[in-house]
Every structure is written in C-alpha cells, then in structure tokens.
Amino acid sequence: MSAAEMRQELAGGLIVASRTGAVGHVLFNRPEKRNAMSLAMWQGLTDALAQLAADDAVRVVVLSGAGDRAFVSGADISEFESQRASEAAIADYNRVSEGADRALWAFPKPTIAMIRGFCVGGGMGLALACDMRIAAEDARLGITAARMGLGYGVEGIRKLVDLVGPSVAAEVMFTASLFPAAEARAMGLVNRVVPVEALAATVDELAGRIAGNAPLTVTAAKAAIRPGSDVAAVEALVKACYDSADYAEGRRAFMEKRAPVFRGV
C-alpha cells in the first residue's frame, strides 16, 4: 500500500476505514445483514472517524454500505434482547451508538453519505449526521421507530427538523414510511438522486472537487453551516483562512491563471 493509501479494519472487519489520496472512506461492511449496525460497529465507527480526523491527508470522507442492498438498514434487531432489553443495557447501548452519531456530526471535515438501497432508522440517522447525501434511484429512506415502539431523543429528531422542517419531520416520524429516492429528494432528505450506475462516479467527482479546495475555507464554512455555531469560534476559523499560506496561494494562482495547490496551512 502506497503512502497515498490507508486501510484499517475495525469491529472485526465490519467497519473499514480507508484513504485514497485526499478522500477518506468509511465502509459499513455487513452486506449479508443489509449493513445493520451491531454494537461493535457503532464503536468501530467512532474509532474509524477518530483515525480519519487525525489523518492530515484526509480532506473529505465518504460513507457507504457494502453490497447493493443497503447503506445501513438500521440497528441490528437480533441484538435487542441482549443489548436493549433492560434499562441498564439500553443506557449502555445508547451511550455507544449516540457517541458514534455525535462523532460523525462533530467530524471537522466534509462528509458525504453515498446511499444505495435501504437507509433506515439508525442508517437514516447516520445519513442525517453527514453534510451531504447522494442517493441512487433505488434508495429507500425512512425512520421506522414507530413500528418498533422505539423512542427517539431530541438530538436525532433535531437533525431531521433542521434539515427538512417540522412538518416533513413529522411525516417521517409519525408515518414510519420508507420514501423512494425521488420523493426523498423532493422532501429535502437528500441532495441529489442519480442512476445506480452513476452513483460512485458522481460521489467520486464531488469528493474530488471538495478535496481540491482550500481545507481551511471548507472547515470554516462547515463550522458556520452547523446549527448553533459558536460565532467566536467561526470567526477565528475565518481569520485563520486570511492568515494562511493557502490564501496567498489562491491569489497567486488566480493571477497566474492556473489551478491552486492548497496545503491546508
């Protein structure tokens, strides 16, 4: 493996973190279970995100599911009797799973959910925690908690409301429906819907375009876009852009009519 590449298997290989060039990847690698999230996978996701956040070469991260049936079909229901049957077990499960969700939401670099097939429940929560969602035409998205009697906390619901508004969020939660990709796009749940055969190329092009831009500018923009942004913290990030060598490089490249080469400093 070259210096431009990295690959790390976590949770017994069910979570794979990798990097090619400046693009990091998180693969939910359980296709026989439609990439349903086990407790070990939630912890593995947290660990994968920590590795990619610490890798200075990574400028954008793509999350995807193995196989062609699902992004993530939700939590692994077969674990519920052992992992979510008592108050103490539920608290422990929520600590790990919500910790992973928070790690993704707080991830400092741009994130893209590449969605094929089912994106349900906890999978929908993961997609909502990403900055962008690109879906194939075969995608089906929804939160089916009301069919299971599960309770959703404020953090998860708030992400949905911030994205699509209270009325659409109510439809998603109250009906527990699975929405086809085109309908999900009209509702604002996803950024784009593309043919299945074009999904990987579309996401690759988008990730490459982001990776080629000034990292400090992108980081500052992400911090400002997030609801409840700390104004002082964002202003400090903006100041860092103007103080950077990349700002000088951007000006020179513009004057010299060439593509800039940004280093994130």
Side-chain angles (χ1 to χ4, degrees):
M1 189 174 297
S2 71
E5 298 176 319
M6 175 276 288
R7 179 182 171 89
Q8 178 70 44
E9 295 188 359
L10 304 108
L14 299 180
I15 298 289
V16 180
S18 62
R19 173 176 54 78
T20 301
V23 181
H25 294 269
V26 173
L27 178 69
F28 303 104
N29 191 31
R30 203 183 186 193
E32 73 283 359
K33 289 274 193 176
R34 295 183 179 178
N35 303 315
M37 295 290 287
S38 66
L39 186 60
M41 289 173 73
W42 287 114
Q43 183 59 59
L45 174 59
T46 298
D47 296 339
L49 291 170
Q51 289 186 17
L52 293 168
D55 188 341
D56 290 338
V58 173
R59 295 189 178 181
V60 58
V61 172
V62 175
L63 293 87
S64 62
D68 58 7
R69 299 173 67 195
F71 172 69
V72 169
S73 61
D76 184 356
I77 296 174
S78 68
E79 287 190 341
F80 281 17
E81 282 302 312
S82 61
Q83 302 287 358
R84 302 179 80 173
S86 69
E87 185 175 348
I90 291 170
D92 187 59
Y93 185 97
N94 288 347
R95 175 183 59 80
V96 176
S97 62
E98 291 173 5
D101 188 78
R102 289 184 187 123
L104 180 55
W105 177 253
F107 193 75
K109 304 169 186 181
T111 51
I112 304 169
M114 184 170 76
I115 303 169
R116 276 211 67 182
F118 292 102
C119 179
V120 183
M124 189 70 220
L126 290 170
L128 291 173
C130 291
D131 296 301
M132 289 161 279
R133 289 150 295 280
I134 310 300
E137 290 175 338
D138 67 349
R140 297 291 183 271
L141 300 93
I143 298 174
T144 57
R147 296 184 191 174
M148 293 286 297
L150 299 171
Y152 256 66
V154 172
E155 287 186 22
I157 297 293
R158 184 54 55 194
K159 291 184 183 70
L160 180 61
V161 172
D162 287 339
L163 182 66
V164 299
S167 181
V168 172
E171 183 177 357
V172 171
M173 296 304 302
F174 297 170
T175 67
S177 298
L178 291 183
F179 299 95
E183 192 170 349
R185 173 68 182 89
M187 297 166 75
L189 287 170
V190 299
N191 294 68
R192 299 189 216 169
V193 175
V194 299
V196 169
E197 62 273 15
L199 180 62
T202 298
V203 173
D204 285 348
E205 190 277 334
L206 178 61
R209 194 186 319 166
I210 293 169
N213 287 331
L216 297 178
T217 301
V218 173
T219 297
K222 174 163 180 169
I225 289 167
R226 285 297 198 215
S229 299
D230 183 312
V231 174
V234 173
E235 288 177 347
L237 290 171
V238 171
K239 182 178 184 302
C241 294
Y242 286 113
D243 292 341
S244 70
D246 277 353
Y247 178 48
E249 164 64 7
R251 299 196 312 271
R252 284 194 301 268
F254 179 80
M255 297 300 295
E256 296 168 7
K257 298 181 180 180
R258 60 174 175 83
V261 179
F262 294 119
R263 297 184 296 115
V265 294

